Amino acid sequence: KASLTFVSAYIYGNPETLPIREDNAIRPNNPYAQSKYLAEQLCEFYAREFDLKINVIRPFNAYGIGQDKRFLIPSIINQALHEDSIKLHDLSPKRDYVYLSDLVNALICSMLFIDNVSVYNIGSGNSISVKNIVDAVQNLLGTDKPTISEGILRKNEVYETVADITRANIELNWYPKYSFSEGLKQILEHELKIISEMKTDSPFMKIKSF
């Protein structure tokens, strides 16, 4: 029979406890998360009514090469490379970030093991604040640009997320391979290569070694 891996999203809203398990309360706090939760319910329906085997993957905050600059990490990197300062709404929120290659690997693992309907958190198991990201980026670039927090709080802001990835460890034999610093280094090397190719007369910037 056919099987399916469905890519959902973070749908827990503000969690009551950390780390967040797959059976934590579902509290979608935006239309996108709500649509993903509804799609998960459809998956459950088809699995029940048509005996379809489905894995539901709930990625936490994915990041990687090629991400739109409107997202947080690309925005910070772009400002660190091209602006005099780094301006952000708020430095305090913490998120669990998973590197894109690790997420893709989790999807592959999920297609190799499917047993009825299973739900898996995919993250790193660690939380990193906005300020931590700025510091990590500047450390790798060797820059020290001023960071400006505008003190803007988003409506329904989630202040911290940490994924419990135990189930994915045990059932999918999946573990993240990239630390946050290693993921950032991959992105920065890619961005600096583009800059070097565009400005052939300027020296190629080097990222600091670990």
Side-chain angles (χ1 to χ4, degrees), residues 175-192:
Y175 298 85
K177 296 179 180 179
Y178 286 84
S179 69
F180 186 69
S181 292
E182 290 166 343
L184 279 183
K185 186 176 180 181
Q186 294 286 320
I187 299 169
L188 290 170
E189 286 178 342
H190 176 77
E191 292 297 319
L192 294 175

Side-chain angles (χ1 to χ4, degrees), residues 4-18:
L4 170 69
T5 290
F6 173 67
V7 183
S8 185
Y10 179 88
I11 59 175
Y12 301 104
N14 268 306
E16 294 180 351
T17 60
L18 295 173

